Amino acid sequence: MTETPFTLDRFAAARQRIAPYVRHTPMLPAPLLHHDSPHGLQLKLENMQIAGSFKVRGAFNTLLSLEPEQQQRGVVASSGGNHGLAVACAAQRLGIPATIYLPATATPDRVARIHQFGVDLVTHGTSWDEAHARALAHAEADGLAYVHPFDDPRTVIGQGTLALELLDDLPDLDCVVIAIGGGGLIAGMAAVLKQSRPQIRIIGVEPKGAASMHHSLQRGFAERLPEPSNTIADTLAPRKVGDYTFALAQQYVDTVVQVDDLAMVHAMRWLWRECNQLVEPAGVAVIAALHSGVADLHGAVAPVAVICGGNAAAGSVFELYQQAIRS
Amino acid sequence: MTETPFTLDRFAAARQRIAPYVRHTPMLPAPLLHHDSPHGLQLKLENMQIAGSFKVRGAFNTLLSLEPEQQQRGVVASSGGNHGLAVACAAQRLGIPATIYLPATATPDRVARIHQFGVDLVTHGTSWDEAHARALAHAEADGLAYVHPFDDPRTVIGQGTLALELLDDLPDLDCVVIAIGGGGLIAGMAAVLKQSRPQIRIIGVEPKGAASMHHSLQRGFAERLPEPSNTIADTLAPRKVGDYTFALAQQYVDTVVQVDDLAMVHAMRWLWRECNQLVEPAGVAVIAALHSGVADLHGAVAPVAVICGGNAAAGSVFELYQQAIRS
């Protein structure tokens, strides 16, 4: 990275590029029902984004940045999670052929949702790493564009557009809490926020069972975790953050803290009681960090926690209601 | 009803009265992900209201309208559903003692949520009618205010404040689809909308298994259904609409249509895929009416469907995630 591609004008251009296709998601309208959260806290409900997470910002930005000839040939991606859903959604919307590689561990509800978008699905391997390697080989062999889930400037810049919405909606914004998986969201958002207003504090949150950013920050470079990930927050579970995302986090993120799985399940229940938002564990990692006390907002007057994704496994609820009809 | 208490100034006063305590809920930010809904449709996400439904508008309006001396003595209500939750929430917030009567059929998740607000709970009977009769007797014997779930001008006027938000947020509004249980929401909203702009069309939706408004409109007066209600949309299941709510619906509502339970479950799944909103069957009755074709928006350019409540039985989801940690 001799020259940074992460200047503010690029984020602004990306926002304009993807605007017709994504939602400007709402903040939770005040007041909060419960009083066990930091004073003045607002929640950015990115779980209400198209395809259920912020990932669609990077997916649209990447697909719309391709040359027309690349768009016609099609794209390849690998993800059994929110990135796969986002690329499938964007590809269908833009009429671009897409092949999504999934590990066999992808949950049935996410596979079904990706399938709905009419893209080609290939199951390979039992981890994202294996699906990723095969997908990359496919893309290179056929000369197709590979849409990386986090470590690509187009992806990072797409995700960072979320921060531009925060700056518009909350002029006093002074602290943001953001979950970390591969690091695309926090990297893009931190680049926008710190270049716009350096005094905004940025707190990253990762699962204890997949603390890949913490590990890399301690090492001083992006390094794979020695142990396999172990967390219910499957969309935060990459074993290695990206080179771009690591560099941006090192430069712009103030603190990275960790939460355990049980705290995330408690936070899921809290968010449901608070405003009837059912989200996946990754979506409430930020709430878990606030409630368990590891994320300290000391003195912040307009803090925001980003609820980054909502694709929980909700199938059992629909089953129960369907059974209630039969009986 | 010799003199109408439902003038626009009363709704405006109610809105101001309850503003510090309730949320101005968002519309679903466009664009829609799917293309199987009427063009231009927007969803008013009242499932994100405090305590999970519009009911808290009427509850706060009623409690705040009481004399200080009545507030000190406390209030009584009857409901195993969203009204009970709303009164409990408002009473706790305002420091007013409250006793809520529940039928034994109230679902465990709603009972647990009502209990959290620290009010007195009494279980009586196996239907809302029985709990209601006992609660009313208690209120009269002890000289306490009874907070009716729908058939009281203070309740109706509180619910109608939702329509004032729609008029503010959507200047072109020309059609609104609203679910009907006891009729409080549609009565209040219709009074506001038709007095403000008579050309706005208002379509009511009720479950086939509890079509109490349709029945009463045919009879020409509010009359109890001959058969017990039979629908999974338990919060839309009163066997008789109110005298106030009937009169307002007769005067102001253009059409009342019906949906079956299966269409509501399909609509629950649709809303989940569309924007990760998990809501109870009553909350998507309006979507079910649009998708099954019984609600026809012919020619509307800015139609809104009100997602009136969100308190689905979601416990199984949290259980699944909790089990995933243990394993």
Side-chain angles (χ1 to χ4, degrees):
Chain A
M1 287 189 288
T2 49
E3 190 192 341
T4 175
F6 301 105
T7 50
L8 283 176
D9 58 317
R10 300 210 183 182
F11 289 95
R15 187 188 194 184
Q16 206 162 12
R17 189 178 297 129
I18 68 176
Y21 307 105
V22 306
R23 292 182 180 138
H24 182 133
T25 50
M27 304 282 257
L28 176 67
L32 286 181
L33 177 57
H34 300 96
H35 303 281
D36 51 359
S37 293
H39 184 72
L41 180 70
Q42 295 201 56
L43 308 179
K44 171 73 167 171
L45 296 179
E46 188 70 3
N47 60 302
M48 291 173 63
Q49 188 51 268
I50 293 282
S53 83
F54 69 92
K55 289 282 192 181
V56 82
R57 297 174 183 269
F60 270 110
N61 190 48
T62 303
L63 296 194
L64 289 165
S65 300
L66 298 174
E67 298 297 327
E69 177 266 337
Q70 283 182 298
Q71 292 182 335
Q72 277 177 6
R73 280 219 301 271
V75 301
V76 177
S78 59
S79 160
N82 289 331
H83 175 66
L85 204 47
V87 173
C89 171
Q92 185 202 47
R93 182 77 177 77
L94 300 173
I96 295 175
T99 304
I100 314 285
Y101 283 75
L102 313 165
T105 48
T107 58
D109 52 298
R110 284 222 188 77
V111 174
R113 285 177 83 160
I114 295 173
H115 183 71
Q116 279 185 332
F117 288 111
V119 297
D120 290 343
L121 291 186
V122 181
T123 302
H124 178 74
T126 57
S127 70
W128 176 74
D129 286 339
E130 292 175 74
H132 165 68
R134 176 65 65 96
L136 206 52
H138 173 175
E140 282 169 5
D142 290 8
L144 304 177
Y146 183 67
V147 189
H148 198 286
F150 46 91
D151 207 29
D152 182 305
R154 295 167 299 190
T155 303
V156 169
I157 289 171
Q159 322 302 31
T161 61
L162 194 155
L164 295 172
E165 292 180 13
L166 288 189
L167 290 170
D168 279 359
D169 292 346
L170 205 58
D172 295 334
L173 180 70
D174 58 357
C175 184
V176 187
V177 192
I178 306 165
I180 302 175
L185 179 62
I186 198 168
M189 288 188 68
V192 168
L193 296 170
K194 289 288 189 179
Q195 291 185 82
S196 302
R197 286 197 245 141
Q199 72 276 20
I200 296 176
R201 274 205 312 139
I202 296 171
I203 301 174
V205 182
E206 45 187 7
K208 275 194 180 134
S212 48
M213 186 63 85
H214 172 77
H215 176 77
S216 293
L217 287 169
Q218 285 202 314
R219 297 287 287 167
F221 56 93
E223 188 187 69
R224 190 179 169 84
L225 283 171
E227 301 291 325
S229 301
N230 179 17
T231 173
I232 57 166
D234 55 344
T235 57
L236 300 182
R239 271 179 80 174
K240 180 177 176 292
V241 296
D243 295 318
Y244 285 107
T245 63
F246 171 76
L248 289 167
Q250 194 181 38
Q251 182 174 5
Y252 290 128
V253 173
D254 295 284
T255 325
V256 175
V257 300
Q258 289 157 43
V259 292
D260 65 28
D261 284 0
L262 192 58
M264 285 189 273
V265 174
H266 287 163
M268 287 174 72
R269 290 183 189 269
W270 180 88
L271 189 65
W272 177 248
R273 289 195 308 268
E274 175 58 39
C275 64
N276 290 72
Q277 296 301 288
L278 178 69
V279 309
E280 62 193 285
V284 288
V286 292
I287 302 289
L290 293 169
H291 286 178
S292 61
V294 294
D296 178 7
L297 306 185
H298 59 270
V301 296
V304 167
V306 179
I307 308 299
C308 62
N311 294 323
S316 59
V317 179
F318 306 118
E319 287 303 322
L320 284 175
Y321 281 100
Q322 195 121 14
Q323 282 164 18
I325 300 178
R326 287 191 208 111
S327 66
Chain B
M1 286 191 288
T2 49
E3 190 192 341
T4 175
F6 300 105
T7 51
L8 283 175
D9 58 316
R10 300 210 182 181
F11 288 95
R15 187 188 192 181
Q16 207 163 10
R17 190 178 296 129
I18 69 177
Y21 308 104
V22 306
R23 291 180 181 143
H24 183 133
T25 50
M27 303 283 257
L28 177 66
L32 287 178
L33 177 57
H34 300 96
H35 303 282
D36 51 359
S37 292
H39 183 72
L41 180 71
Q42 295 201 57
L43 308 179
K44 171 72 166 172
L45 296 180
E46 188 70 4
N47 60 303
M48 291 172 62
Q49 188 52 268
I50 294 282
S53 82
F54 70 92
K55 290 282 192 181
V56 82
R57 298 174 182 267
F60 270 109
N61 190 49
T62 303
L63 296 194
L64 289 164
S65 300
L66 298 174
E67 299 297 328
E69 176 267 338
Q70 284 182 297
Q71 292 182 334
Q72 278 177 5
R73 282 219 301 272
V75 300
V76 177
S78 58
S79 161
N82 290 330
H83 175 65
L85 204 48
V87 173
C89 171
Q92 186 202 47
R93 181 76 178 78
L94 300 173
I96 295 175
T99 305
I100 314 284
Y101 283 76
L102 313 165
T105 47
T107 59
D109 52 300
R110 285 222 187 78
V111 175
R113 285 178 83 161
I114 296 173
H115 182 71
Q116 279 184 332
F117 288 110
V119 296
D120 289 342
L121 291 185
V122 181
T123 302
H124 178 75
T126 57
S127 71
W128 176 75
D129 286 339
E130 292 175 73
H132 165 68
R134 176 65 67 95
L136 206 53
H138 174 176
E140 281 169 6
D142 290 9
L144 304 176
Y146 183 67
V147 189
H148 199 286
F150 47 90
D151 207 29
D152 182 305
R154 296 167 298 191
T155 304
V156 169
I157 289 170
Q159 321 304 29
T161 61
L162 194 155
L164 295 172
E165 292 179 13
L166 287 189
L167 291 171
D168 279 359
D169 293 346
L170 205 58
D172 296 333
L173 180 71
D174 57 357
C175 184
V176 186
V177 191
I178 307 165
I180 302 175
L185 179 62
I186 198 167
M189 288 188 67
V192 168
L193 296 170
K194 289 287 189 180
Q195 290 185 84
S196 301
R197 286 197 244 141
Q199 71 276 20
I200 296 175
R201 274 205 312 138
I202 296 171
I203 301 173
V205 181
E206 47 188 5
K208 276 194 179 133
S212 49
M213 185 64 85
H214 172 77
H215 176 76
S216 293
L217 286 169
Q218 285 203 315
R219 297 286 288 166
F221 56 94
E223 187 188 72
R224 191 178 169 84
L225 283 171
E227 299 292 324
S229 301
N230 178 18
T231 173
I232 58 166
D234 55 346
T235 57
L236 300 182
R239 269 179 83 174
K240 179 176 177 295
V241 295
D243 294 318
Y244 286 108
T245 63
F246 171 76
L248 289 167
Q250 193 181 38
Q251 181 174 5
Y252 290 129
V253 173
D254 294 285
T255 325
V256 175
V257 300
Q258 290 158 41
V259 292
D260 65 29
D261 283 1
L262 192 58
M264 286 189 273
V265 174
H266 287 162
M268 286 174 72
R269 290 182 187 269
W270 180 89
L271 189 65
W272 177 248
R273 291 195 308 268
E274 174 59 38
C275 64
N276 291 74
Q277 297 299 290
L278 178 68
V279 310
E280 62 194 284
V284 288
V286 292
I287 303 289
L290 293 169
H291 286 178
S292 61
V294 294
D296 177 7
L297 306 185
H298 59 270
V301 297
V304 167
V306 179
I307 308 299
C308 61
N311 294 323
S316 59
V317 179
F318 306 119
E319 286 303 321
L320 284 174
Y321 280 100
Q322 194 122 12
Q323 281 164 19
I325 299 178
R326 289 191 205 110
S327 68

